[in-house]
Amino acid sequence: MLEDFVITLTNGDDVLMEEAELALSKIESKGLNLYTSVHRSKAMMHTYLAWQEEPGRPMGLAITANVLNADSESARTFLEWIKVVFGVID
């Protein structure tokens, strides 16, 4: 899912991402989560985005606002793949 990729655009030591993980684990341990395990990354990403200065900002706008890091290694790898797929020459 897109969120699996977007999670890699967060800072690896982001405290809010760690807290989102703890929050999901807590509700899961109590059986309170309504999402399926396949949608966990969606719950994680949207929880993280809900806790930002502007809560609920869409993922694309979060990149523009530098909440997510478009210069990460995974973003650069993805961009190179897109260039290959679509025949983009620098």
Side-chain angles (χ1 to χ4, degrees):
M1 289 189 204
L2 179 60
E3 288 81 2
D4 291 309
F5 169 69
V6 175
I7 285 171
T8 70
L9 303 181
T10 62
N11 185 345
D13 59 356
D14 190 309
V15 175
L16 281 181
M17 186 55 80
E18 292 174 16
E19 290 297 322
E21 170 64 39
L22 290 172
L24 294 186
S25 294
K26 183 175 180 178
I27 66 166
E28 290 165 357
S29 72
K30 295 179 179 184
L32 298 174
N33 58 301
L34 301 177
Y35 55 86
T36 61
S37 61
V38 73
H39 291 139
R40 190 175 199 276
S41 61
K42 285 182 174 292
M44 174 84 80
M45 190 71 245
H46 293 286
T47 298
Y48 175 79
L49 291 174
W51 292 345
Q52 299 301 313
E53 187 174 338
E54 185 180 316
R57 182 183 278 147
M59 290 181 286
L61 294 177
I63 292 170
T64 303
N66 294 318
V67 171
L68 300 170
N69 183 4
D71 294 323
S72 70
E73 182 62 32
S74 59
R76 287 192 300 272
T77 300
F78 178 68
L79 184 57
E80 289 305 315
W81 177 79
I82 291 288
K83 289 177 181 179
V84 169
V85 168
F86 293 102
V88 176
I89 300 171
D90 286 328

